[in-house]
Amino acid sequence: MVTKLDLKAFDSEAENTWCPGCGDFAILRSLKIALTELGIASHEALVVSGIGCGSKLPDYMHINGYMTIHGRPLPVATGAKLANPDLHVIVINGDGDSYGIGGNHFLHSCRRNPNITHIVEDNQIYGLTKGQYSPTSDRGFVTTTSPDGAIEEPLLPVAVALAAGATFIARTFAGDPKHMAAVIVEAIKHQGYSLIDVLQPCVTFNRVNTYEWYRERVYKLEEDYDPSDRDSARARAYEWEDRIPLGIIYRNDEAPAYEAQVLALKAGSPLASVLKLQKDPALGQYESLKEQFL
Amino acid sequence: MDYESFLADVQERGRFRSREESVFVTAAVLRAVAEVLPVAHVESLATSVPQELMVYLRGAHEEPDPYFDSNLFLGWVLATVDVTGGRDKTEGGLDLFVAYSTDEAIDRCRYVFSTLKSALDDRQSELISIHLPDSIQQIYADS
Ligand SMILES: Cc1ncc(C[n+]2csc(CCOP(=O)(O)OP(=O)(O)O)c2C)c(N)n1
Ligand code: SF4
Ligand SMILES: [Mg+2]
């Protein structure tokens, strides 16, 4: 069991190549804080990412990590969760990885409801590839690939997740690390797919959506806000531009997680069975596993 | 110190081309200070800080975020760097902009801190210093 004193247990020796001032640092720290608060040790969790600046995060943590190809962390994470349901599986990737190239997986994870925590480092730009507009870039945003300003309306992740059936939807801001850590704690505790869209300033390539830009617009949901009320959530989901709500916008704690409904998992964790089999091979057990999974 | 003298002082230290650049940089640094200084302390600075700049400090929170660190502080200031055209100090590296922007942001903190310190009395200066994240505190001390 980890205690609060063990935050450093998650430190890795990898050289960090994020730009100083990048919002990703605060996300990394908040994730470590959340895990220590929940008493989750490195070996009990898996962090899966894609490709992008934010997706370098697993490298910067002493934890099980998996960097997939661009846009694919959600299906890989779902597979890992099915193979080992005892693992806390966390996906962390950028807005391009998550809502652009990985948009299809995002939609289906929302309705599939695997018990996965999905943290999106949403800087409204492609950072790693040096500043192209992304699915969440605001209309008119000028970048190298939108020289006359982005023509499309931005995707509103919270609204899309709600429409697609996600059971836990939150937004937080990298400039408020304490709030962020508290939201991550709740998301990890949620039994099902949880989306946290993090407003993450990219200080190098996004010169519009700065810390100040977000600070002027964000507000925390009122104490008496009821996240289980879908209609209230729908109204907040469309708030963007002038006022941006932060907090748990929607949660449904009644819906069963995907893996709780997979018949093949009723007998327990496949990984645990394999490990047991390795220790104590029994032909019958092997045949039954083969029948279930091959 | 009045508002115009404050801006002129920052402009001279930073060798900024215009008064507007000085306003922009000063505002960014003071807004970052407002992220860490509890609002209860802000008014005690009003005797020394020009009213026009107190506006930024009054954006302070009742309880500043305990995890707000030096990196986030610099993030606020970095937003000013390319708009005002920082001097290029690149000595290699993959990204020319990133290579000099952090140094430039630190320098910009220094210019504003130096002017601010010259306007504040010791007690006020200490009040700001103790609330700054560690390495920003060092930059403040060196300013
Ligand atoms: C299949 C594929 N297409 C395109 C790329 C190029 N590419 C790498 S990262 C990236 C976008 C990253 O943006 P985002 O996910 O928002 O992450 P950020 O860098 O902003 O954190 C792209 C287009 C790639 N690596 N693989
Ligand atoms: S380019 Fe942007 S997102 Fe990438 S590390 Fe730098 S500040 Fe962060
Ligand atoms: Mg991005």
Side-chain angles (χ1 to χ4, degrees):
Chain A
M1 168 105 174
V2 207
T3 69
K4 282 192 176 183
L5 295 173
D6 289 328
L7 199 64
K8 287 208 167 304
F10 290 109
D11 288 353
S12 95
E13 286 175 4
E15 187 195 346
N16 193 310
T17 58
W18 286 331
C19 313
C22 175
D24 285 337
F25 284 100
I27 298 176
L28 172 64
R29 181 140 181 246
S30 296
L31 177 58
K32 290 179 184 177
I33 292 167
L35 290 171
T36 52
E37 236 166 68
L38 289 167
I40 297 173
S42 296
H43 69 279
E44 295 171 319
L46 167 70
V47 179
V48 189
S49 73
I51 301 291
C53 290
S55 287
K56 296 179 194 170
L57 187 139
D59 211 19
Y60 304 148
M61 274 187 94
H62 175 66
I63 200 158
N64 296 304
Y66 192 138
M67 291 179 186
T68 73
I69 54 169
H70 198 22
R72 313 297 166 208
L74 280 168
V76 170
T78 305
K81 186 72 187 172
L82 288 174
N84 184 4
D86 301 327
L87 206 56
H88 293 278
V89 180
I90 297 160
V91 167
I92 188 144
N93 58 350
D95 44 321
D97 197 279
S98 193
Y99 308 135
I101 193 168
N104 173 27
H105 302 304
F106 166 55
L107 281 183
H108 295 291
S109 297
C110 287
R111 66 182 193 89
R112 188 169 291 143
N113 203 32
N115 189 4
I116 286 173
T117 309
H118 184 191
I119 302 171
V120 181
E121 299 141 308
D122 187 353
N123 51 17
Q124 304 184 248
I125 193 128
Y126 292 173
L128 188 78
T129 44
K130 306 209 177 295
Q132 298 79 25
Y133 78 117
S134 88
T136 52
S137 296
D138 288 318
R139 206 180 152 94
F141 187 52
V142 175
T143 67
T144 48
T145 44
S146 54
D148 301 320
I151 294 167
E152 304 95 322
E153 287 295 334
L155 180 129
L156 299 178
V158 172
V160 172
L162 192 66
T167 55
F168 183 107
I169 308 167
R171 185 190 284 114
T172 181
F173 170 39
D176 288 334
K178 186 179 169 197
H179 181 266
M180 186 161 37
V183 169
I184 296 174
V185 165
E186 286 305 308
I188 293 176
K189 285 201 288 196
H190 176 71
Q191 295 296 308
Y193 172 77
S194 48
L195 171 73
I196 310 175
D197 186 64
V198 185
L199 306 175
Q200 176 247 316
C202 164
V203 295
T204 302
F205 294 109
N206 187 336
R207 319 298 295 175
V208 174
N209 308 104
T210 59
Y211 286 98
E212 187 188 330
W213 190 93
Y214 289 119
R215 174 61 76 227
E216 280 170 359
R217 288 162 177 81
V218 297
Y219 73 94
K220 300 208 172 100
L221 288 168
E222 306 77 18
E223 298 245 308
D224 61 355
Y225 175 79
D226 176 10
S228 68
D229 178 354
R230 216 180 154 79
D231 289 335
S232 308
R234 196 174 293 116
R236 306 290 177 135
Y238 285 96
E239 282 187 28
W240 185 251
E241 289 173 5
D242 297 341
R243 266 168 68 77
I244 306 175
L246 298 185
I248 300 167
I249 295 170
Y250 180 69
R251 74 185 297 168
N252 169 5
D253 294 316
E254 309 301 322
Y258 180 73
E259 60 276 14
Q261 303 173 76
V262 175
L263 292 181
L265 296 185
K266 293 278 183 228
S269 154
L271 181 74
S273 309
V274 171
L275 292 177
K276 190 160 171 260
L277 194 64
Q278 264 180 0
K279 261 208 232 149
D280 179 20
L283 197 58
Q285 224 180 345
Y286 178 66
E287 289 303 330
S288 121
L289 270 177
K290 238 176 41 177
E291 218 167 89
Q292 282 181 56
F293 296 106
L294 297 182
Chain B
M1 191 183 290
D2 64 23
Y3 183 48
E4 289 306 324
S5 314
F6 195 108
L7 294 180
D9 200 50
V10 172
Q11 187 175 343
E12 194 186 322
R13 290 177 199 275
R15 285 181 279 145
F16 297 127
R17 284 174 223 107
S18 68
R19 175 184 176 278
E20 281 60 44
E21 290 177 21
S22 181
V23 173
F24 198 43
V25 171
T26 303
V29 175
L30 293 184
R31 281 198 169 110
V33 171
E35 290 291 304
V36 292
L37 186 68
V39 74
H41 294 314
V42 169
E43 289 314 316
S44 64
L45 304 172
T47 50
S48 305
V49 176
Q51 283 308 305
E52 293 87 341
L53 298 178
M54 284 298 292
V55 174
Y56 304 124
L57 295 176
R58 288 192 179 114
H61 309 276
E62 265 174 41
E63 281 179 43
D65 195 308
Y67 303 127
F68 191 98
D69 58 11
S70 309
N71 181 71
L72 282 173
F73 194 100
L74 277 187
W76 277 74
V77 183
L78 273 156
T80 68
V81 173
D82 79 338
V83 182
T84 54
R87 291 182 305 281
D88 193 340
K89 296 180 203 157
T90 311
E91 288 168 2
L94 291 176
D95 194 300
L96 302 187
F97 174 74
V98 174
Y100 73 79
S101 64
T102 312
D103 288 350
E104 186 65 29
I106 291 171
D107 285 345
R108 286 172 186 214
C109 288
R110 243 183 226 126
Y111 307 142
V112 177
F113 285 161
S114 299
T115 307
L116 186 63
K117 279 169 84 173
S118 68
L120 300 176
D121 63 33
D122 289 351
R123 193 186 49 83
Q124 290 169 324
S125 190
E126 174 70 8
L127 190 66
I128 290 190
S129 168
I130 56 171
H131 288 102
L132 294 172
D134 286 353
S135 55
I136 303 296
Q137 210 170 59
Q138 194 53 50
I139 295 169
Y140 188 82
D142 296 342
S143 300

